[in-house]
Amino acid sequence: MAEITTLQSSKEFGNELAVSSAPPPESRPSEHAPPKGKSPTKYRHVAAVHPRQRTSWLSHDSEQSPSFLGFRNLMVIVLVVMNLRLVVENFMKYGVLICIRCHDYRRIDILLSTMLYALVPCHLFVAYIIELGAAQHAKGALGRLKRSGYNPDNDLYQKSRSFQATWYTIAWAHGINATFCLLVTTYVVYYHINHPMIGSICQVHAIIVWLKNCSYAFTNRDLRHAYLNPSSAGTLPEIYSQCPYPRNVTISNLAYFWWAPTLVYQPIYPRSSSIRWLFVAKRLAECLGLSVFIWLASAQYAAPVLRNSLDKMKTLDIASIIERLMKLSTISLIIWLAGFFAIFQSVLNALAEIMRFGDREFYTDWWNSPSVGNYWRTWNKPVYHFMRRHIYSPLVGRGFSSGFASTMVFVFSGLLHELLVGIPTHNILGVAFIGMVVQLPMIYLTAPLEKMQGINGRVIGNCIFWISFCLVGQPLAALMYFFAWQAKYGSVSRLEKG
């Protein structure tokens, strides 16, 4: 009897021990939990840990899309650590290379660049004078025709023909004015400004004003045509009705366009209600900080890599050149990304806030581009809008194919890039021009990947874009123009003379 009592107490103690050692219900896996309404089984070693078919998380047929947030964090940490190691190695090898007074610029460079910056916008004022005369002539012509009982809807050809000679004169005046603006700056920078950075700033400013001049002339030409042909005025955008032609031809309207962060002229733009000066201060602080970072990275890291590549370039050591390109790709990408953020996020947003410019889509998510063509459509919206509005669309509208129009866009862009890089470095190599034209086959190659079903095509296209962008594009161009500069003015030239 005592043995039976002892066995019963042992079983009760065992059950209590099993229950106390089991995990709480909320911590148990859902597939191991017993059905509702049934008591838990006392057999703990027979739980079905494989109750159904399941796939691995990284398999294509996985039911859920895995998150790679941890891998992203790992890649960022690895990238930071690797670059910090290179920075430390750089300091140990070269010491501190940053020197404020070591820039090789002359006083005449500062004087000429200041004069160019002040005189180049005067061509916009000349464009205003030309367009003011055209507007006065258009108003006079339309008034005379109305007084003579002219019906504009029935006699469009005669009216356009009567105004044709004046239109050609206006077009030639705008063309000479805009071209003179760019040619004078290009001549002064190439022959009289020695410092490449100062020359680049002057050239960028001149190209921007030149593009604005062209857009101002093209847009007002179409507005003038619509003004003289009332039947076609309905095709104009609705927003233009708030400032119809020729009321837009004023000095204040042109001054706003001069400072607005866009290359495309409109009589009126969407405007914000007020200026947030704290927002402006933050954006300017970002620009200042990133500018200092770009200067430090260029002087301390990029410059030694470029200088150490000169002897390899001179002897055409292909393996060493490839190694230098790969080493240069990292710092050039970091500098480019910092410059992109400083210009398109900080400077343009600060300028848009001051000007109360409402449309601030200066870029979209170009870093996710599934093709090379998508990158060129999304990374620089001001230039993209200009090219599409004033080159691509007019050519397509005149019957040319989209392929021919795209070719003309990249040829034109290549010429501008060569002016922007070759003129300040005093070396017209054609590398920037060829680099832009070569984008066309890259666009046609990656376009099918963008249209593929599923994510694989987009991933492959994005990888092709980044490889061409990081390894082939910028580092190679920087190396070529730096070598050409040094061969003409720097250490390579002195070695050859010696």
Side-chain angles (χ1 to χ4, degrees):
M1 190 72 178
E3 293 176 356
I4 295 174
T5 305
T6 303
L7 288 172
Q8 289 177 347
S9 60
S10 299
K11 289 180 180 179
E12 293 174 356
F13 176 76
N15 291 336
E16 293 175 357
L17 180 62
V19 172
S20 62
S21 61
E26 60 273 11
S27 65
R28 300 173 190 171
S30 59
E31 60 264 27
H32 298 168
K36 292 183 179 180
K38 294 185 178 181
S39 59
T41 177
K42 63 181 179 180
Y43 300 110
R44 298 299 174 188
H45 298 283
V46 296
V49 297
H50 305 290
R52 57 187 174 86
Q53 293 182 353
R54 289 176 292 190
T55 58
S56 299
W57 272 78
L58 297 180
S59 299
H60 290 289
D61 53 351
S62 177
E63 296 178 359
Q64 302 180 21
S65 298
S67 172
F68 294 99
L69 179 63
F71 279 117
R72 186 195 67 180
N73 296 337
L74 174 63
M75 294 302 175
V76 172
I77 293 173
V78 169
L79 182 64
V80 171
V81 171
M82 289 178 63
N83 283 279
L84 284 178
R85 182 192 68 81
L86 293 175
V87 170
V88 173
E89 179 184 354
N90 179 274
F91 275 106
M92 294 174 61
K93 188 174 182 179
Y94 302 107
V96 178
L97 299 177
I98 301 166
C99 178
I100 298 178
R101 298 183 178 181
C102 296
H103 294 280
D104 184 22
Y105 65 87
R106 305 171 302 175
R107 185 172 297 179
I108 189 65
D109 293 347
I110 302 296
L111 178 61
L112 289 175
S113 62
T114 305
M115 292 175 60
L116 286 175
Y117 188 83
L119 293 176
V120 163
C122 294
H123 291 273
L124 282 173
F125 181 75
V126 175
Y128 162 73
I129 297 298
I130 296 171
E131 199 54 47
L132 184 63
Q136 294 296 328
H137 186 275
K139 287 193 294 184
L142 189 61
R144 288 190 299 271
L145 291 172
K146 286 183 177 180
R147 287 192 298 270
S148 62
Y150 168 76
N151 185 0
D153 294 329
N154 298 329
D155 204 8
L156 296 178
Y157 177 74
Q158 290 183 7
K159 183 179 67 174
S160 62
R161 186 165 184 171
S162 65
F163 202 69
Q164 188 174 13
T166 305
W167 276 41
Y168 281 132
T169 304
I170 295 169
W172 275 100
H174 276 303
I176 293 172
N177 174 54
T179 305
F180 190 69
C181 162
L182 190 58
L183 286 180
V184 169
T185 303
T186 300
Y187 175 82
V188 173
V189 171
Y190 190 81
Y191 289 104
H192 299 287
I193 295 181
N194 182 66
H195 198 277
M197 181 57 65
I198 297 176
S200 297
I201 295 173
C202 295
Q203 201 70 7
V204 167
H205 182 228
I207 290 175
I208 290 174
V209 173
W210 183 75
L211 293 175
K212 284 178 177 280
N213 250 324
C214 294
S215 182
Y216 186 74
F218 287 142
T219 306
N220 276 301
R221 183 197 62 181
D222 287 354
L223 292 175
R224 189 166 58 252
H225 183 274
Y227 174 73
L228 293 170
N229 297 269
S231 61
S232 63
T235 60
L236 295 177
E238 185 178 352
I239 190 175
Y240 289 8
S241 62
Q242 303 176 32
C243 185
Y245 185 89
R247 282 169 45 193
N248 65 300
V249 185
T250 62
I251 194 66
S252 60
N253 185 276
L254 180 60
Y256 182 86
F257 174 55
W258 174 27
W259 286 100
T262 179
L263 298 175
V264 173
Y265 174 73
Q266 293 181 189
I268 192 169
Y269 298 92
R271 304 283 293 273
S272 56
S273 58
S274 60
I275 301 176
R276 299 170 294 173
W277 290 108
L278 182 60
F279 178 88
V280 175
K282 289 180 179 179
R283 301 291 80 77
L284 294 179
E286 290 172 355
C287 178
L288 179 61
L290 288 170
S291 299
V292 173
F293 169 78
I294 292 172
W295 171 55
L296 296 177
S298 302
Q300 186 65 41
Y301 189 76
V305 175
L306 289 170
R307 282 195 293 266
N308 292 337
S309 306
L310 294 176
D311 56 338
K312 311 300 181 184
M313 293 282 291
K314 193 172 184 300
T315 58
L316 293 179
D317 188 347
I318 303 300
S320 298
I321 292 174
I322 295 175
E323 185 270 337
R324 293 295 172 182
L325 282 175
M326 296 178 68
K327 191 173 183 179
L328 187 62
S329 63
T330 303
I331 189 62
S332 66
L333 176 62
I334 293 174
I335 292 174
W336 189 92
L337 290 175
F340 167 82
F341 193 94
I343 295 174
F344 288 88
Q345 178 62 26
S346 301
V347 173
L348 292 185
N349 268 287
L351 184 59
E353 187 69 26
I354 294 173
M355 301 300 296
R356 294 171 49 207
F357 188 81
D359 187 2
R360 304 182 185 185
E361 192 182 63
F362 305 118
Y363 60 92
T364 53
D365 58 339
W366 58 266
W367 47 89
N368 295 325
S369 296
S371 65
V372 176
N374 183 266
Y375 162 74
W376 289 110
R377 293 190 298 268
T378 55
W379 92 271
N380 188 342
K381 282 301 190 73
V383 172
Y384 168 73
H385 289 320
F386 180 92
M387 297 293 182
R388 184 173 183 83
R389 188 194 196 198
H390 296 304
I391 299 178
Y392 182 86
S393 295
L395 288 174
V396 173
R398 284 168 172 79
F400 292 96
S401 65
S402 59
F404 177 80
S406 298
T407 301
M408 291 298 100
V409 166
F410 277 91
V411 168
F412 178 73
S413 181
L415 292 174
L416 291 183
H417 277 76
E418 191 64 38
L419 287 176
L420 182 59
V421 181
I423 296 299
T425 58
H426 307 276
N427 288 283
I428 309 296
L429 303 179
V431 174
F433 175 79
I434 294 174
M436 290 302 300
V437 175
V438 167
Q439 299 299 312
L440 287 168
M442 295 291 294
I443 290 173
Y444 292 124
L445 175 66
T446 56
L449 299 174
E450 186 178 1
K451 301 174 183 177
M452 285 178 59
Q453 296 292 333
I455 197 174
N456 291 337
R458 300 175 67 87
V459 170
I460 296 173
N462 187 254
C463 291
I464 293 175
F465 151 68
W466 277 116
I467 291 173
S468 63
F469 182 80
C470 297
L471 294 179
V472 182
Q474 296 182 55
L476 180 60
L479 200 58
M480 293 291 290
Y481 282 101
F482 183 80
F483 179 79
W485 169 266
Q486 292 293 332
K488 195 170 185 179
Y489 300 105
S491 58
V492 176
S493 176
R494 289 192 293 268
L495 286 174
E496 290 178 351
K497 292 178 180 178

